[in-house]
Amino acid sequence: MLTARNLTKVYQSGGRPLPVLREVSLEVEEGGFLAVVGPSGCGKTTLLGLLAGLDVPTSGTVSIGGQDLGALGEDARARLRGEKVGFVFQTFQLIPTLTALENVQVPLELQGSRPQDADGGPAERARELLERVGLAGREHHYPSQLSGGEQQRVAIARAFANRPVILFADEPTGNLDHANGARVVALLEELNSESGTTLVMVTHDPALAGRARRTIRLLDGAVVDDTGAAA
Protein backbone atom coordinates (compact mmCIF):
# COMPACT_ATOMS: atom_id res chain seq x y z
CA MET A 1 0.00 0.00 0.00
CA LEU A 2 2.79 2.43 0.96
CA THR A 3 6.42 2.33 -0.16
CA ALA A 4 9.20 4.81 0.55
CA ARG A 5 12.67 4.47 -0.90
CA ASN A 6 15.73 6.41 0.29
CA LEU A 7 13.70 9.42 1.46
CA THR A 8 15.91 12.39 2.23
CA LYS A 9 14.77 15.88 3.19
CA VAL A 10 17.21 18.77 3.52
CA TYR A 11 16.19 22.30 4.47
CA GLN A 12 18.29 25.44 4.20
CA SER A 13 19.00 27.22 7.48
CA GLY A 14 21.09 30.38 7.48
CA GLY A 15 22.39 29.49 4.03
CA ARG A 16 23.56 26.07 5.20
CA PRO A 17 21.97 22.66 4.54
CA LEU A 18 20.05 21.14 7.45
CA PRO A 19 19.34 17.41 6.90
CA VAL A 20 16.09 16.33 8.59
CA LEU A 21 15.61 12.88 7.04
CA ARG A 22 18.40 10.62 5.82
CA GLU A 23 17.78 7.74 3.37
CA VAL A 24 14.60 6.42 5.02
CA SER A 25 13.09 3.34 3.37
CA LEU A 26 9.98 1.44 4.47
CA GLU A 27 6.97 -0.50 3.26
CA VAL A 28 3.52 -0.76 4.86
CA GLU A 29 1.16 -3.52 3.73
CA GLU A 30 -2.50 -2.92 2.99
CA GLY A 31 -4.48 -2.76 6.24
CA GLY A 32 -1.30 -2.40 8.31
CA PHE A 33 -0.89 -0.28 11.44
CA LEU A 34 2.51 1.41 11.73
CA ALA A 35 3.67 3.69 14.54
CA VAL A 36 6.59 6.08 14.05
CA VAL A 37 8.36 7.07 17.27
CA GLY A 38 11.45 8.98 18.32
CA PRO A 39 12.55 12.10 20.22
CA SER A 40 11.41 15.61 19.30
CA GLY A 41 13.22 16.92 16.24
CA CYS A 42 14.09 13.48 14.86
CA GLY A 43 12.02 13.94 11.67
CA LYS A 44 8.75 12.13 12.52
CA THR A 45 6.36 14.83 11.31
CA THR A 46 8.53 15.56 8.27
CA LEU A 47 8.39 11.88 7.34
CA LEU A 48 4.62 11.79 7.74
CA GLY A 49 4.19 14.84 5.51
CA LEU A 50 6.33 13.24 2.79
CA LEU A 51 4.50 9.92 2.99
CA ALA A 52 1.13 11.71 2.73
CA GLY A 53 2.21 13.81 -0.24
CA LEU A 54 1.89 17.07 1.71
CA ASP A 55 5.55 17.83 0.98
CA VAL A 56 8.12 16.62 -1.55
CA PRO A 57 11.47 15.00 -0.65
CA THR A 58 14.86 16.38 -1.57
CA SER A 59 15.55 12.93 -2.95
CA GLY A 60 13.93 9.48 -2.85
CA THR A 61 10.46 8.25 -3.77
CA VAL A 62 7.06 7.60 -2.19
CA SER A 63 4.25 5.55 -3.73
CA ILE A 64 0.71 4.95 -2.50
CA GLY A 65 -1.15 2.01 -3.99
CA GLY A 66 1.52 1.75 -6.67
CA GLN A 67 1.24 5.42 -7.66
CA ASP A 68 4.56 7.29 -7.56
CA LEU A 69 3.86 10.66 -5.93
CA GLY A 70 6.98 12.15 -7.48
CA ALA A 71 5.56 11.55 -10.96
CA LEU A 72 2.54 13.73 -10.17
CA GLY A 73 2.16 17.48 -10.32
CA GLU A 74 0.79 19.42 -7.37
CA ASP A 75 -2.82 19.27 -8.61
CA ALA A 76 -2.62 15.53 -9.28
CA ARG A 77 -1.16 14.91 -5.80
CA ALA A 78 -4.03 16.91 -4.30
CA ARG A 79 -6.55 14.78 -6.20
CA LEU A 80 -4.87 11.59 -5.01
CA ARG A 81 -4.97 12.82 -1.40
CA GLY A 82 -8.66 13.67 -1.79
CA GLU A 83 -9.43 10.20 -3.13
CA LYS A 84 -7.14 7.94 -1.11
CA VAL A 85 -5.63 9.72 1.91
CA GLY A 86 -6.98 10.82 5.29
CA PHE A 87 -5.00 12.96 7.74
CA VAL A 88 -5.55 13.59 11.46
CA PHE A 89 -3.65 16.55 12.91
CA GLN A 90 -2.54 16.99 16.53
CA THR A 91 -4.20 20.42 16.62
CA PHE A 92 -7.48 19.11 15.10
CA GLN A 93 -7.53 21.74 12.29
CA LEU A 94 -11.31 22.08 12.39
CA ILE A 95 -12.90 25.10 10.70
CA PRO A 96 -14.20 27.20 13.63
CA THR A 97 -17.14 28.72 11.72
CA LEU A 98 -18.53 25.30 10.72
CA THR A 99 -20.46 22.84 12.87
CA ALA A 100 -19.19 19.32 13.52
CA LEU A 101 -21.47 18.02 10.76
CA GLU A 102 -20.27 20.65 8.29
CA ASN A 103 -16.61 20.01 9.14
CA VAL A 104 -17.00 16.31 8.35
CA GLN A 105 -18.79 17.15 5.09
CA VAL A 106 -15.95 19.34 3.78
CA PRO A 107 -13.84 16.61 2.10
CA LEU A 108 -16.96 15.04 0.59
CA GLU A 109 -18.05 18.33 -0.93
CA LEU A 110 -14.54 19.04 -2.23
CA GLN A 111 -14.63 15.64 -3.90
CA GLY A 112 -17.99 16.46 -5.48
CA SER A 113 -20.22 14.04 -3.55
CA ARG A 114 -23.87 14.77 -4.33
CA PRO A 115 -27.12 14.35 -2.38
CA GLN A 116 -28.28 11.66 -4.82
CA ASP A 117 -25.17 9.52 -4.25
CA ALA A 118 -25.76 5.91 -3.17
CA ASP A 119 -24.65 6.54 0.43
CA GLY A 120 -27.18 9.35 0.85
CA GLY A 121 -24.84 12.26 0.17
CA PRO A 122 -22.43 14.30 2.31
CA ALA A 123 -24.81 15.09 5.18
CA GLU A 124 -25.90 11.49 5.66
CA ARG A 125 -22.34 10.17 5.46
CA ALA A 126 -21.15 12.84 7.95
CA ARG A 127 -24.01 12.08 10.34
CA GLU A 128 -23.23 8.35 10.19
CA LEU A 129 -19.55 8.95 10.96
CA LEU A 130 -20.27 11.29 13.88
CA GLU A 131 -22.57 8.65 15.33
CA ARG A 132 -19.82 6.07 14.77
CA VAL A 133 -17.34 8.15 16.83
CA GLY A 134 -19.85 8.67 19.63
CA LEU A 135 -20.99 12.20 18.78
CA ALA A 136 -24.62 11.63 17.88
CA GLY A 137 -26.53 14.68 19.05
CA ARG A 138 -23.49 16.95 18.76
CA GLU A 139 -23.73 17.45 14.98
CA HIS A 140 -24.70 21.12 15.20
CA HIS A 141 -22.14 22.16 17.81
CA TYR A 142 -19.23 24.37 16.77
CA PRO A 143 -15.63 23.41 17.66
CA SER A 144 -15.57 25.98 20.48
CA GLN A 145 -18.53 24.15 22.05
CA LEU A 146 -16.72 20.79 22.04
CA SER A 147 -14.04 19.39 24.37
CA GLY A 148 -10.59 18.53 23.05
CA GLY A 149 -11.46 14.84 22.89
CA GLU A 150 -14.68 15.60 21.01
CA GLN A 151 -12.87 17.84 18.55
CA GLN A 152 -10.35 15.10 17.84
CA ARG A 153 -13.17 12.63 17.24
CA VAL A 154 -14.72 15.08 14.75
CA ALA A 155 -11.30 15.28 13.05
CA ILE A 156 -11.16 11.48 12.85
CA ALA A 157 -14.68 11.33 11.39
CA ARG A 158 -13.62 13.92 8.80
CA ALA A 159 -10.48 11.95 7.96
CA PHE A 160 -12.58 8.84 7.24
CA ALA A 161 -15.26 10.72 5.26
CA ASN A 162 -13.86 9.84 1.83
CA ARG A 163 -13.19 6.22 2.82
CA PRO A 164 -9.41 6.63 2.46
CA VAL A 165 -7.25 3.62 1.74
CA ILE A 166 -4.58 5.05 4.05
CA LEU A 167 -4.82 7.38 7.05
CA PHE A 168 -1.97 9.37 8.57
CA ALA A 169 -2.24 10.60 12.17
CA ASP A 170 0.27 13.13 13.53
CA GLU A 171 0.40 12.92 17.34
CA PRO A 172 -3.39 12.40 17.46
CA THR A 173 -3.36 12.26 21.27
CA GLY A 174 -0.75 14.98 21.87
CA ASN A 175 -3.27 17.58 23.08
CA LEU A 176 -5.47 15.17 25.03
CA ASP A 177 -5.43 13.79 28.56
CA HIS A 178 -4.61 10.11 29.02
CA ALA A 179 -8.21 8.87 29.09
CA ASN A 180 -9.25 10.76 25.96
CA GLY A 181 -6.01 9.80 24.24
CA ALA A 182 -6.66 6.12 24.91
CA ARG A 183 -10.21 6.46 23.53
CA VAL A 184 -8.95 8.13 20.35
CA VAL A 185 -6.36 5.42 19.67
CA ALA A 186 -8.94 2.70 20.37
CA LEU A 187 -11.24 4.39 17.86
CA LEU A 188 -8.48 4.52 15.24
CA GLU A 189 -7.75 0.83 15.86
CA GLU A 190 -11.44 -0.02 15.50
CA LEU A 191 -11.84 1.88 12.25
CA ASN A 192 -8.57 0.42 10.94
CA SER A 193 -9.78 -3.10 11.72
CA GLU A 194 -13.33 -2.67 10.43
CA SER A 195 -12.62 -0.73 7.24
CA GLY A 196 -9.21 -2.18 6.38
CA THR A 197 -7.76 1.33 6.14
CA THR A 198 -3.97 1.34 6.42
CA LEU A 199 -2.91 3.45 9.42
CA VAL A 200 0.37 5.31 9.95
CA MET A 201 0.63 7.14 13.28
CA VAL A 202 3.34 9.40 14.68
CA THR A 203 3.44 9.40 18.48
CA HIS A 204 5.83 10.28 21.30
CA ASP A 205 4.03 7.85 23.65
CA PRO A 206 5.63 4.36 23.79
CA ALA A 207 2.47 2.86 25.31
CA LEU A 208 0.35 4.04 22.38
CA ALA A 209 2.99 2.95 19.89
CA GLY A 210 2.90 -0.49 21.48
CA ARG A 211 -0.68 -0.90 20.26
CA ALA A 212 0.47 -0.75 16.63
CA ARG A 213 1.39 -3.96 14.85
CA ARG A 214 4.71 -2.47 13.78
CA THR A 215 6.92 0.33 15.11
CA ILE A 216 9.83 2.17 13.56
CA ARG A 217 12.08 4.43 15.61
CA LEU A 218 13.78 7.49 14.15
CA LEU A 219 16.91 9.13 15.51
CA ASP A 220 18.60 12.08 13.84
CA GLY A 221 16.49 11.54 10.71
CA ALA A 222 17.33 7.87 10.21
CA VAL A 223 15.56 4.61 11.06
CA VAL A 224 17.42 2.95 13.94
CA ASP A 225 14.88 0.24 14.84
CA ASP A 226 12.04 -1.56 13.05
CA THR A 227 9.93 -3.80 15.29
CA GLY A 228 7.25 -6.07 13.87
CA ALA A 229 8.30 -5.79 10.21
CA ALA A 230 7.67 -8.83 8.03
CA ALA A 231 10.69 -11.07 7.72
Side-chain angles (χ1 to χ4, degrees):
M1 175 53 65
L2 174 68
T3 303
R5 290 281 179 265
N6 303 315
L7 276 187
T8 295
K9 184 66 176 181
V10 179
Y11 293 101
Q12 294 297 317
S13 177
R16 303 179 63 180
L18 177 64
V20 178
L21 285 180
R22 309 167 189 265
E23 301 286 325
V24 172
S25 295
L26 59 87
E27 293 183 358
V28 184
E29 74 281 5
E30 184 175 356
F33 181 6
L34 170 70
V36 181
V37 302
S40 296
C42 70
K44 301 188 300 296
T45 295
T46 298
L47 175 61
L48 208 66
L50 295 176
L51 295 177
L54 298 174
D55 195 5
V56 294
T58 303
S59 61
T61 62
V62 177
S63 65
I64 294 176
Q67 177 68 67
D68 181 0
L69 300 188
L72 304 177
E74 189 173 337
D75 289 345
R77 283 200 309 276
R79 282 195 297 274
L80 182 142
R81 288 196 302 270
E83 294 168 359
K84 296 186 176 182
V85 173
F87 207 104
V88 178
F89 298 89
Q90 177 180 353
T91 52
F92 318 140
Q93 298 290 339
L94 300 178
I95 300 171
T97 56
L98 299 182
T99 65
L101 187 71
E102 291 165 341
N103 265 284
V104 178
Q105 287 183 73
V106 166
L108 293 166
E109 292 172 347
L110 289 175
Q111 196 182 48
S113 185
R114 298 175 300 279
Q116 65 267 32
D117 289 345
D119 63 2
E124 185 58 35
R125 172 68 175 159
R127 195 171 286 109
E128 168 197 317
L129 283 166
L130 287 171
E131 181 176 356
R132 181 69 187 77
V133 300
L135 291 176
R138 306 285 275 170
E139 299 95 332
H140 301 295
H141 287 70
Y142 291 91
S144 62
Q145 298 171 312
L146 301 172
S147 69
E150 289 172 331
Q151 289 184 63
Q152 191 61 296
R153 282 184 279 159
V154 173
I156 290 170
R158 181 182 59 187
F160 274 92
N162 281 349
R163 298 181 173 86
V165 297
I166 185 164
L167 185 140
F168 298 93
D170 186 9
E171 299 278 13
T173 65
N175 284 327
L176 304 178
D177 59 37
H178 178 75
N180 275 313
R183 289 190 193 101
V184 162
V185 173
L187 177 60
L188 287 171
E189 287 178 312
E190 234 175 89
L191 293 169
N192 163 255
S193 175
E194 291 180 6
S195 67
T197 300
T198 304
L199 180 60
V200 180
M201 177 179 70
V202 159
T203 181
H204 66 281
D205 188 334
L208 296 181
R211 297 170 69 161
R213 293 190 287 279
R214 178 181 170 200
T215 301
I216 65 170
R217 179 175 296 278
L218 292 182
L219 184 64
D220 295 330
V223 176
V224 294
D225 190 36
D226 190 342
T227 305

